[in-house]
PDB file of all heavy atoms in Angstrom:
ATOM      1  N   VAL A   1      10.977  -0.276  10.813  1.00 94.00           N
ATOM      2  CA  VAL A   1      10.886   0.289   9.457  1.00 94.00           C
ATOM      3  C   VAL A   1      10.106  -0.695   8.590  1.00 94.00           C
ATOM      4  O   VAL A   1      10.607  -1.765   8.243  1.00 94.00           O
ATOM      5  CB  VAL A   1      12.288   0.548   8.860  1.00 94.00           C
ATOM      6  CG1 VAL A   1      12.158   1.165   7.470  1.00 94.00           C
ATOM      7  CG2 VAL A   1      13.101   1.458   9.770  1.00 94.00           C
ATOM      8  N   ALA A   2       8.862  -0.337   8.259  1.00 96.00           N
ATOM      9  CA  ALA A   2       8.004  -1.227   7.467  1.00 96.00           C
ATOM     10  C   ALA A   2       8.298  -1.100   5.979  1.00 96.00           C
ATOM     11  O   ALA A   2       8.249  -2.085   5.237  1.00 96.00           O
ATOM     12  CB  ALA A   2       6.543  -0.917   7.749  1.00 96.00           C
ATOM     13  N   LEU A   3       8.598   0.121   5.524  1.00 97.00           N
ATOM     14  CA  LEU A   3       9.026   0.372   4.144  1.00 97.00           C
ATOM     15  C   LEU A   3      10.235   1.287   4.190  1.00 97.00           C
ATOM     16  O   LEU A   3      10.218   2.309   4.881  1.00 97.00           O
ATOM     17  CB  LEU A   3       7.903   1.029   3.323  1.00 97.00           C
ATOM     18  CG  LEU A   3       6.687   0.177   2.975  1.00 97.00           C
ATOM     19  CD1 LEU A   3       5.616   1.022   2.301  1.00 97.00           C
ATOM     20  CD2 LEU A   3       7.058  -1.013   2.101  1.00 97.00           C
ATOM     21  N   ASP A   4      11.265   0.911   3.441  1.00 97.00           N
ATOM     22  CA  ASP A   4      12.549   1.610   3.534  1.00 97.00           C
ATOM     23  C   ASP A   4      12.964   2.127   2.160  1.00 97.00           C
ATOM     24  O   ASP A   4      13.682   1.449   1.409  1.00 97.00           O
ATOM     25  CB  ASP A   4      13.595   0.630   4.099  1.00 97.00           C
ATOM     26  CG  ASP A   4      14.930   1.294   4.386  1.00 97.00           C
ATOM     27  OD1 ASP A   4      15.022   2.530   4.234  1.00 97.00           O
ATOM     28  OD2 ASP A   4      15.878   0.574   4.759  1.00 97.00           O
ATOM     29  N   GLY A   5      12.449   3.316   1.780  1.00 97.00           N
ATOM     30  CA  GLY A   5      12.841   3.931   0.513  1.00 97.00           C
ATOM     31  C   GLY A   5      12.428   3.148  -0.709  1.00 97.00           C
ATOM     32  O   GLY A   5      13.187   3.030  -1.677  1.00 97.00           O
ATOM     33  N   VAL A   6      11.200   2.621  -0.710  1.00 98.00           N
ATOM     34  CA  VAL A   6      10.726   1.790  -1.829  1.00 98.00           C
ATOM     35  C   VAL A   6      10.298   2.675  -2.998  1.00 98.00           C
ATOM     36  O   VAL A   6       9.589   3.670  -2.818  1.00 98.00           O
ATOM     37  CB  VAL A   6       9.548   0.900  -1.379  1.00 98.00           C
ATOM     38  CG1 VAL A   6       8.893   0.209  -2.587  1.00 98.00           C
ATOM     39  CG2 VAL A   6      10.030  -0.139  -0.375  1.00 98.00           C
ATOM     40  N   GLY A   7      10.726   2.299  -4.193  1.00 98.00           N
ATOM     41  CA  GLY A   7      10.335   3.029  -5.389  1.00 98.00           C
ATOM     42  C   GLY A   7      10.191   2.114  -6.594  1.00 98.00           C
ATOM     43  O   GLY A   7      11.004   1.216  -6.795  1.00 98.00           O
ATOM     44  N   PHE A   8       9.134   2.310  -7.380  1.00 98.00           N
ATOM     45  CA  PHE A   8       8.944   1.609  -8.660  1.00 98.00           C
ATOM     46  C   PHE A   8       7.817   2.299  -9.418  1.00 98.00           C
ATOM     47  O   PHE A   8       7.019   3.036  -8.845  1.00 98.00           O
ATOM     48  CB  PHE A   8       8.639   0.116  -8.464  1.00 98.00           C
ATOM     49  CG  PHE A   8       7.375  -0.182  -7.695  1.00 98.00           C
ATOM     50  CD1 PHE A   8       6.158  -0.356  -8.345  1.00 98.00           C
ATOM     51  CD2 PHE A   8       7.409  -0.296  -6.310  1.00 98.00           C
ATOM     52  CE1 PHE A   8       4.990  -0.623  -7.639  1.00 98.00           C
ATOM     53  CE2 PHE A   8       6.250  -0.567  -5.591  1.00 98.00           C
ATOM     54  CZ  PHE A   8       5.041  -0.734  -6.245  1.00 98.00           C
ATOM     55  N   ASP A   9       7.760   2.063 -10.728  1.00 98.00           N
ATOM     56  CA  ASP A   9       6.720   2.636 -11.594  1.00 98.00           C
ATOM     57  C   ASP A   9       5.891   1.516 -12.203  1.00 98.00           C
ATOM     58  O   ASP A   9       6.416   0.424 -12.480  1.00 98.00           O
ATOM     59  CB  ASP A   9       7.341   3.445 -12.737  1.00 98.00           C
ATOM     60  CG  ASP A   9       8.033   4.714 -12.249  1.00 98.00           C
ATOM     61  OD1 ASP A   9       7.678   5.203 -11.155  1.00 98.00           O
ATOM     62  OD2 ASP A   9       8.935   5.212 -12.963  1.00 98.00           O
ATOM     63  N   VAL A  10       4.616   1.801 -12.429  1.00 98.00           N
ATOM     64  CA  VAL A  10       3.743   0.860 -13.136  1.00 98.00           C
ATOM     65  C   VAL A  10       3.078   1.625 -14.275  1.00 98.00           C
ATOM     66  O   VAL A  10       2.430   2.657 -14.054  1.00 98.00           O
ATOM     67  CB  VAL A  10       2.668   0.256 -12.205  1.00 98.00           C
ATOM     68  CG1 VAL A  10       1.816  -0.754 -12.980  1.00 98.00           C
ATOM     69  CG2 VAL A  10       3.303  -0.419 -10.991  1.00 98.00           C
ATOM     70  N   SER A  11       3.250   1.126 -15.498  1.00 97.00           N
ATOM     71  CA  SER A  11       2.654   1.777 -16.676  1.00 97.00           C
ATOM     72  C   SER A  11       1.187   1.399 -16.810  1.00 97.00           C
ATOM     73  O   SER A  11       0.759   0.331 -16.358  1.00 97.00           O
ATOM     74  CB  SER A  11       3.394   1.353 -17.943  1.00 97.00           C
ATOM     75  OG  SER A  11       4.754   1.740 -17.870  1.00 97.00           O
ATOM     76  N   ALA A  12       0.421   2.270 -17.458  1.00 97.00           N
ATOM     77  CA  ALA A  12      -0.999   2.004 -17.710  1.00 97.00           C
ATOM     78  C   ALA A  12      -1.152   0.703 -18.493  1.00 97.00           C
ATOM     79  O   ALA A  12      -0.403   0.434 -19.424  1.00 97.00           O
ATOM     80  CB  ALA A  12      -1.623   3.167 -18.478  1.00 97.00           C
ATOM     81  N   GLY A  13      -2.115  -0.123 -18.074  1.00 97.00           N
ATOM     82  CA  GLY A  13      -2.402  -1.372 -18.764  1.00 97.00           C
ATOM     83  C   GLY A  13      -1.565  -2.553 -18.326  1.00 97.00           C
ATOM     84  O   GLY A  13      -1.771  -3.672 -18.802  1.00 97.00           O
ATOM     85  N   GLN A  14      -0.620  -2.326 -17.406  1.00 97.00           N
ATOM     86  CA  GLN A  14       0.232  -3.415 -16.921  1.00 97.00           C
ATOM     87  C   GLN A  14      -0.425  -4.169 -15.767  1.00 97.00           C
ATOM     88  O   GLN A  14      -1.225  -3.610 -15.018  1.00 97.00           O
ATOM     89  CB  GLN A  14       1.573  -2.864 -16.418  1.00 97.00           C
ATOM     90  CG  GLN A  14       2.427  -2.213 -17.484  1.00 97.00           C
ATOM     91  CD  GLN A  14       3.079  -3.240 -18.396  1.00 97.00           C
ATOM     92  OE1 GLN A  14       2.547  -3.532 -19.461  1.00 97.00           O
ATOM     93  NE2 GLN A  14       4.196  -3.774 -17.993  1.00 97.00           N
ATOM     94  N   ILE A  15      -0.071  -5.431 -15.628  1.00 98.00           N
ATOM     95  CA  ILE A  15      -0.372  -6.198 -14.419  1.00 98.00           C
ATOM     96  C   ILE A  15       0.952  -6.347 -13.689  1.00 98.00           C
ATOM     97  O   ILE A  15       1.902  -6.937 -14.217  1.00 98.00           O
ATOM     98  CB  ILE A  15      -0.968  -7.585 -14.735  1.00 98.00           C
ATOM     99  CG1 ILE A  15      -2.293  -7.438 -15.494  1.00 98.00           C
ATOM    100  CG2 ILE A  15      -1.178  -8.391 -13.445  1.00 98.00           C
ATOM    101  CD1 ILE A  15      -2.876  -8.759 -15.980  1.00 98.00           C
ATOM    102  N   CYS A  16       1.024  -5.771 -12.491  1.00 98.00           N
ATOM    103  CA  CYS A  16       2.255  -5.793 -11.698  1.00 98.00           C
ATOM    104  C   CYS A  16       2.028  -6.612 -10.445  1.00 98.00           C
ATOM    105  O   CYS A  16       1.115  -6.339  -9.660  1.00 98.00           O
ATOM    106  CB  CYS A  16       2.677  -4.373 -11.337  1.00 98.00           C
ATOM    107  SG  CYS A  16       4.166  -4.302 -10.297  1.00 98.00           S
ATOM    108  N   GLY A  17       2.854  -7.633 -10.233  1.00 97.00           N
ATOM    109  CA  GLY A  17       2.784  -8.453  -9.034  1.00 97.00           C
ATOM    110  C   GLY A  17       3.750  -7.945  -7.979  1.00 97.00           C
ATOM    111  O   GLY A  17       4.902  -7.620  -8.295  1.00 97.00           O
ATOM    112  N   LEU A  18       3.275  -7.844  -6.749  1.00 97.00           N
ATOM    113  CA  LEU A  18       4.100  -7.402  -5.620  1.00 97.00           C
ATOM    114  C   LEU A  18       4.301  -8.600  -4.712  1.00 97.00           C
ATOM    115  O   LEU A  18       3.334  -9.134  -4.155  1.00 97.00           O
ATOM    116  CB  LEU A  18       3.374  -6.267  -4.884  1.00 97.00           C
ATOM    117  CG  LEU A  18       4.125  -5.467  -3.839  1.00 97.00           C
ATOM    118  CD1 LEU A  18       5.359  -4.787  -4.427  1.00 97.00           C
ATOM    119  CD2 LEU A  18       3.193  -4.420  -3.218  1.00 97.00           C
ATOM    120  N   ILE A  19       5.555  -9.076  -4.605  1.00 96.00           N
ATOM    121  CA  ILE A  19       5.819 -10.309  -3.867  1.00 96.00           C
ATOM    122  C   ILE A  19       6.818 -10.054  -2.740  1.00 96.00           C
ATOM    123  O   ILE A  19       7.484  -9.025  -2.694  1.00 96.00           O
ATOM    124  CB  ILE A  19       6.351 -11.426  -4.798  1.00 96.00           C
ATOM    125  CG1 ILE A  19       7.716 -11.053  -5.378  1.00 96.00           C
ATOM    126  CG2 ILE A  19       5.341 -11.757  -5.891  1.00 96.00           C
ATOM    127  CD1 ILE A  19       8.441 -12.213  -6.076  1.00 96.00           C
ATOM    128  N   GLY A  20       6.922 -11.031  -1.847  1.00 94.00           N
ATOM    129  CA  GLY A  20       7.868 -10.965  -0.739  1.00 94.00           C
ATOM    130  C   GLY A  20       7.373 -11.831   0.397  1.00 94.00           C
ATOM    131  O   GLY A  20       6.173 -12.093   0.517  1.00 94.00           O
ATOM    132  N   PRO A  21       8.287 -12.283   1.261  1.00 92.00           N
ATOM    133  CA  PRO A  21       7.881 -13.096   2.412  1.00 92.00           C
ATOM    134  C   PRO A  21       6.971 -12.302   3.348  1.00 92.00           C
ATOM    135  O   PRO A  21       6.833 -11.076   3.221  1.00 92.00           O
ATOM    136  CB  PRO A  21       9.215 -13.419   3.105  1.00 92.00           C
ATOM    137  CG  PRO A  21      10.288 -13.067   2.119  1.00 92.00           C
ATOM    138  CD  PRO A  21       9.727 -12.030   1.225  1.00 92.00           C
ATOM    139  N   ASN A  22       6.350 -12.985   4.319  1.00 90.00           N
ATOM    140  CA  ASN A  22       5.544 -12.295   5.327  1.00 90.00           C
ATOM    141  C   ASN A  22       6.389 -11.227   6.006  1.00 90.00           C
ATOM    142  O   ASN A  22       7.559 -11.457   6.317  1.00 90.00           O
ATOM    143  CB  ASN A  22       5.036 -13.294   6.380  1.00 90.00           C
ATOM    144  CG  ASN A  22       3.907 -14.150   5.828  1.00 90.00           C
ATOM    145  OD1 ASN A  22       3.150 -13.712   4.971  1.00 90.00           O
ATOM    146  ND2 ASN A  22       3.792 -15.369   6.311  1.00 90.00           N
ATOM    147  N   GLY A  23       5.778 -10.051   6.218  1.00 89.00           N
ATOM    148  CA  GLY A  23       6.496  -8.966   6.878  1.00 89.00           C
ATOM    149  C   GLY A  23       7.390  -8.155   5.959  1.00 89.00           C
ATOM    150  O   GLY A  23       8.134  -7.294   6.413  1.00 89.00           O
ATOM    151  N   ALA A  24       7.304  -8.408   4.643  1.00 93.00           N
ATOM    152  CA  ALA A  24       8.178  -7.703   3.693  1.00 93.00           C
ATOM    153  C   ALA A  24       7.745  -6.259   3.458  1.00 93.00           C
ATOM    154  O   ALA A  24       8.527  -5.446   2.986  1.00 93.00           O
ATOM    155  CB  ALA A  24       8.209  -8.456   2.359  1.00 93.00           C
ATOM    156  N   GLY A  25       6.465  -5.943   3.752  1.00 95.00           N
ATOM    157  CA  GLY A  25       5.974  -4.572   3.558  1.00 95.00           C
ATOM    158  C   GLY A  25       4.919  -4.429   2.479  1.00 95.00           C
ATOM    159  O   GLY A  25       4.498  -3.320   2.157  1.00 95.00           O
ATOM    160  N   LYS A  26       4.457  -5.562   1.931  1.00 95.00           N
ATOM    161  CA  LYS A  26       3.506  -5.515   0.811  1.00 95.00           C
ATOM    162  C   LYS A  26       2.175  -4.862   1.215  1.00 95.00           C
ATOM    163  O   LYS A  26       1.684  -3.959   0.544  1.00 95.00           O
ATOM    164  CB  LYS A  26       3.247  -6.932   0.279  1.00 95.00           C
ATOM    165  CG  LYS A  26       4.496  -7.697  -0.114  1.00 95.00           C
ATOM    166  CD  LYS A  26       4.185  -9.071  -0.641  1.00 95.00           C
ATOM    167  CE  LYS A  26       3.468  -9.984   0.328  1.00 95.00           C
ATOM    168  NZ  LYS A  26       4.275 -10.333   1.526  1.00 95.00           N
ATOM    169  N   THR A  27       1.605  -5.345   2.313  1.00 93.00           N
ATOM    170  CA  THR A  27       0.313  -4.800   2.752  1.00 93.00           C
ATOM    171  C   THR A  27       0.462  -3.360   3.227  1.00 93.00           C
ATOM    172  O   THR A  27      -0.435  -2.530   3.024  1.00 93.00           O
ATOM    173  CB  THR A  27      -0.302  -5.688   3.846  1.00 93.00           C
ATOM    174  OG1 THR A  27      -0.511  -7.007   3.307  1.00 93.00           O
ATOM    175  CG2 THR A  27      -1.637  -5.155   4.321  1.00 93.00           C
ATOM    176  N   THR A  28       1.599  -3.037   3.831  1.00 95.00           N
ATOM    177  CA  THR A  28       1.860  -1.647   4.240  1.00 95.00           C
ATOM    178  C   THR A  28       1.802  -0.726   3.025  1.00 95.00           C
ATOM    179  O   THR A  28       1.200   0.357   3.068  1.00 95.00           O
ATOM    180  CB  THR A  28       3.227  -1.520   4.937  1.00 95.00           C
ATOM    181  OG1 THR A  28       3.229  -2.329   6.108  1.00 95.00           O
ATOM    182  CG2 THR A  28       3.533  -0.086   5.320  1.00 95.00           C
ATOM    183  N   LEU A  29       2.415  -1.161   1.933  1.00 96.00           N
ATOM    184  CA  LEU A  29       2.402  -0.345   0.717  1.00 96.00           C
ATOM    185  C   LEU A  29       0.978  -0.196   0.183  1.00 96.00           C
ATOM    186  O   LEU A  29       0.564   0.906  -0.211  1.00 96.00           O
ATOM    187  CB  LEU A  29       3.313  -0.964  -0.347  1.00 96.00           C
ATOM    188  CG  LEU A  29       3.432  -0.176  -1.649  1.00 96.00           C
ATOM    189  CD1 LEU A  29       3.937   1.239  -1.402  1.00 96.00           C
ATOM    190  CD2 LEU A  29       4.344  -0.886  -2.632  1.00 96.00           C
ATOM    191  N   PHE A  30       0.210  -1.283   0.175  1.00 94.00           N
ATOM    192  CA  PHE A  30      -1.195  -1.210  -0.250  1.00 94.00           C
ATOM    193  C   PHE A  30      -1.968  -0.213   0.604  1.00 94.00           C
ATOM    194  O   PHE A  30      -2.777   0.560   0.109  1.00 94.00           O
ATOM    195  CB  PHE A  30      -1.840  -2.600  -0.149  1.00 94.00           C
ATOM    196  CG  PHE A  30      -2.000  -3.287  -1.479  1.00 94.00           C
ATOM    197  CD1 PHE A  30      -1.032  -3.176  -2.449  1.00 94.00           C
ATOM    198  CD2 PHE A  30      -3.124  -4.045  -1.759  1.00 94.00           C
ATOM    199  CE1 PHE A  30      -1.163  -3.815  -3.675  1.00 94.00           C
ATOM    200  CE2 PHE A  30      -3.279  -4.679  -2.972  1.00 94.00           C
ATOM    201  CZ  PHE A  30      -2.301  -4.565  -3.931  1.00 94.00           C
ATOM    202  N   ASN A  31      -1.700  -0.244   1.915  1.00 94.00           N
ATOM    203  CA  ASN A  31      -2.412   0.656   2.825  1.00 94.00           C
ATOM    204  C   ASN A  31      -1.991   2.112   2.617  1.00 94.00           C
ATOM    205  O   ASN A  31      -2.772   3.029   2.869  1.00 94.00           O
ATOM    206  CB  ASN A  31      -2.206   0.226   4.278  1.00 94.00           C
ATOM    207  CG  ASN A  31      -3.015  -1.019   4.621  1.00 94.00           C
ATOM    208  OD1 ASN A  31      -4.009  -1.316   3.957  1.00 94.00           O
ATOM    209  ND2 ASN A  31      -2.610  -1.737   5.642  1.00 94.00           N
ATOM    210  N   CYS A  32      -0.772   2.335   2.145  1.00 95.00           N
ATOM    211  CA  CYS A  32      -0.353   3.694   1.772  1.00 95.00           C
ATOM    212  C   CYS A  32      -1.086   4.151   0.509  1.00 95.00           C
ATOM    213  O   CYS A  32      -1.528   5.298   0.415  1.00 95.00           O
ATOM    214  CB  CYS A  32       1.160   3.746   1.531  1.00 95.00           C
ATOM    215  SG  CYS A  32       2.154   3.630   3.024  1.00 95.00           S
ATOM    216  N   LEU A  33      -1.231   3.247  -0.453  1.00 95.00           N
ATOM    217  CA  LEU A  33      -1.952   3.569  -1.686  1.00 95.00           C
ATOM    218  C   LEU A  33      -3.417   3.876  -1.409  1.00 95.00           C
ATOM    219  O   LEU A  33      -4.031   4.698  -2.093  1.00 95.00           O
ATOM    220  CB  LEU A  33      -1.850   2.401  -2.675  1.00 95.00           C
ATOM    221  CG  LEU A  33      -0.522   2.254  -3.409  1.00 95.00           C
ATOM    222  CD1 LEU A  33      -0.356   0.860  -3.957  1.00 95.00           C
ATOM    223  CD2 LEU A  33      -0.434   3.275  -4.528  1.00 95.00           C
ATOM    224  N   SER A  34      -3.995   3.205  -0.404  1.00 92.00           N
ATOM    225  CA  SER A  34      -5.395   3.424  -0.035  1.00 92.00           C
ATOM    226  C   SER A  34      -5.557   4.580   0.943  1.00 92.00           C
ATOM    227  O   SER A  34      -6.672   4.873   1.361  1.00 92.00           O
ATOM    228  CB  SER A  34      -5.978   2.153   0.605  1.00 92.00           C
ATOM    229  OG  SER A  34      -5.805   1.040  -0.224  1.00 92.00           O
ATOM    230  N   ARG A  35      -4.432   5.168   1.366  1.00 92.00           N
ATOM    231  CA  ARG A  35      -4.400   6.273   2.327  1.00 92.00           C
ATOM    232  C   ARG A  35      -4.835   5.846   3.726  1.00 92.00           C
ATOM    233  O   ARG A  35      -5.230   6.668   4.552  1.00 92.00           O
ATOM    234  CB  ARG A  35      -5.255   7.460   1.850  1.00 92.00           C
ATOM    235  CG  ARG A  35      -4.784   8.097   0.559  1.00 92.00           C
ATOM    236  CD  ARG A  35      -3.442   8.817   0.706  1.00 92.00           C
ATOM    237  NE  ARG A  35      -3.563   9.994   1.554  1.00 92.00           N
ATOM    238  CZ  ARG A  35      -2.721  10.299   2.552  1.00 92.00           C
ATOM    239  NH1 ARG A  35      -1.713   9.513   2.844  1.00 92.00           N
ATOM    240  NH2 ARG A  35      -2.900  11.381   3.257  1.00 92.00           N
ATOM    241  N   LEU A  36      -4.767   4.524   4.018  1.00 91.00           N
ATOM    242  CA  LEU A  36      -5.031   4.051   5.384  1.00 91.00           C
ATOM    243  C   LEU A  36      -3.821   4.327   6.265  1.00 91.00           C
ATOM    244  O   LEU A  36      -3.945   4.502   7.474  1.00 91.00           O
ATOM    245  CB  LEU A  36      -5.348   2.546   5.371  1.00 91.00           C
ATOM    246  CG  LEU A  36      -6.601   2.141   4.580  1.00 91.00           C
ATOM    247  CD1 LEU A  36      -6.721   0.624   4.517  1.00 91.00           C
ATOM    248  CD2 LEU A  36      -7.852   2.758   5.192  1.00 91.00           C
ATOM    249  N   TYR A  37      -2.619   4.330   5.657  1.00 93.00           N
ATOM    250  CA  TYR A  37      -1.382   4.689   6.358  1.00 93.00           C
ATOM    251  C   TYR A  37      -0.779   5.924   5.700  1.00 93.00           C
ATOM    252  O   TYR A  37      -0.921   6.127   4.497  1.00 93.00           O
ATOM    253  CB  TYR A  37      -0.335   3.568   6.271  1.00 93.00           C
ATOM    254  CG  TYR A  37      -0.651   2.285   6.992  1.00 93.00           C
ATOM    255  CD1 TYR A  37       0.126   1.146   6.747  1.00 93.00           C
ATOM    256  CD2 TYR A  37      -1.690   2.180   7.912  1.00 93.00           C
ATOM    257  CE1 TYR A  37      -0.133  -0.056   7.390  1.00 93.00           C
ATOM    258  CE2 TYR A  37      -1.951   0.986   8.550  1.00 93.00           C
ATOM    259  CZ  TYR A  37      -1.178  -0.137   8.294  1.00 93.00           C
ATOM    260  OH  TYR A  37      -1.430  -1.322   8.925  1.00 93.00           O
ATOM    261  N   ARG A  38      -0.071   6.715   6.507  1.00 92.00           N
ATOM    262  CA  ARG A  38       0.694   7.841   5.977  1.00 92.00           C
ATOM    263  C   ARG A  38       2.145   7.408   5.765  1.00 92.00           C
ATOM    264  O   ARG A  38       2.667   6.627   6.561  1.00 92.00           O
ATOM    265  CB  ARG A  38       0.691   9.010   6.979  1.00 92.00           C
ATOM    266  CG  ARG A  38      -0.655   9.688   7.153  1.00 92.00           C
ATOM    267  CD  ARG A  38      -0.546  10.748   8.251  1.00 92.00           C
ATOM    268  NE  ARG A  38      -1.828  11.374   8.504  1.00 92.00           N
ATOM    269  CZ  ARG A  38      -2.292  12.425   7.836  1.00 92.00           C
ATOM    270  NH1 ARG A  38      -1.535  12.981   6.897  1.00 92.00           N
ATOM    271  NH2 ARG A  38      -3.466  12.943   8.108  1.00 92.00           N
ATOM    272  N   TYR A  39       2.748   7.912   4.728  1.00 94.00           N
ATOM    273  CA  TYR A  39       4.191   7.690   4.558  1.00 94.00           C
ATOM    274  C   TYR A  39       4.912   8.931   5.028  1.00 94.00           C
ATOM    275  O   TYR A  39       4.442  10.048   4.835  1.00 94.00           O
ATOM    276  CB  TYR A  39       4.560   7.329   3.112  1.00 94.00           C
ATOM    277  CG  TYR A  39       3.827   8.084   2.035  1.00 94.00           C
ATOM    278  CD1 TYR A  39       4.314   9.297   1.555  1.00 94.00           C
ATOM    279  CD2 TYR A  39       2.649   7.585   1.487  1.00 94.00           C
ATOM    280  CE1 TYR A  39       3.657   9.985   0.550  1.00 94.00           C
ATOM    281  CE2 TYR A  39       1.975   8.279   0.480  1.00 94.00           C
ATOM    282  CZ  TYR A  39       2.478   9.470   0.017  1.00 94.00           C
ATOM    283  OH  TYR A  39       1.831  10.149  -0.963  1.00 94.00           O
ATOM    284  N   GLU A  40       6.061   8.729   5.708  1.00 92.00           N
ATOM    285  CA  GLU A  40       6.756   9.885   6.290  1.00 92.00           C
ATOM    286  C   GLU A  40       7.805  10.465   5.365  1.00 92.00           C
ATOM    287  O   GLU A  40       8.282  11.584   5.578  1.00 92.00           O
ATOM    288  CB  GLU A  40       7.372   9.516   7.633  1.00 92.00           C
ATOM    289  CG  GLU A  40       8.368   8.380   7.595  1.00 92.00           C
ATOM    290  CD  GLU A  40       8.736   7.945   9.002  1.00 92.00           C
ATOM    291  OE1 GLU A  40       7.870   7.413   9.712  1.00 92.00           O
ATOM    292  OE2 GLU A  40       9.901   8.150   9.366  1.00 92.00           O
ATOM    293  N   ARG A  41       8.195   9.687   4.346  1.00 95.00           N
ATOM    294  CA  ARG A  41       9.145  10.205   3.373  1.00 95.00           C
ATOM    295  C   ARG A  41       8.771   9.687   2.004  1.00 95.00           C
ATOM    296  O   ARG A  41       8.149   8.629   1.870  1.00 95.00           O
ATOM    297  CB  ARG A  41      10.573   9.750   3.733  1.00 95.00           C
ATOM    298  CG  ARG A  41      11.652  10.569   3.002  1.00 95.00           C
ATOM    299  CD  ARG A  41      13.051  10.100   3.339  1.00 95.00           C
ATOM    300  NE  ARG A  41      13.405   8.915   2.556  1.00 95.00           N
ATOM    301  CZ  ARG A  41      14.190   7.935   2.994  1.00 95.00           C
ATOM    302  NH1 ARG A  41      14.674   7.978   4.215  1.00 95.00           N
ATOM    303  NH2 ARG A  41      14.468   6.905   2.222  1.00 95.00           N
TER     304      ARG A  41
END
């Protein structure tokens, strides 16, 4: 499970930092935003 029910909002004009140790799922989420990966739920 690379991402497990992750949810958050970012408002227009905000700078949002996404942090976590290696393997936390950060790049997976980026790849979902870029449509390189599909999310199943």
Side-chain angles (χ1 to χ4, degrees):
V1 181
L3 290 174
D4 186 5
V6 170
F8 61 91
D9 292 337
V10 182
S11 299
Q14 296 285 96
I15 299 174
C16 178
L18 191 59
I19 65 168
N22 285 330
K26 305 181 300 295
T27 299
T28 299
L29 182 58
F30 257 38
N31 286 338
C32 288
L33 283 160
S34 306
R35 297 292 292 133
L36 298 174
Y37 293 168
R38 291 175 183 273
Y39 40 88
E40 59 190 67
R41 196 181 81 213

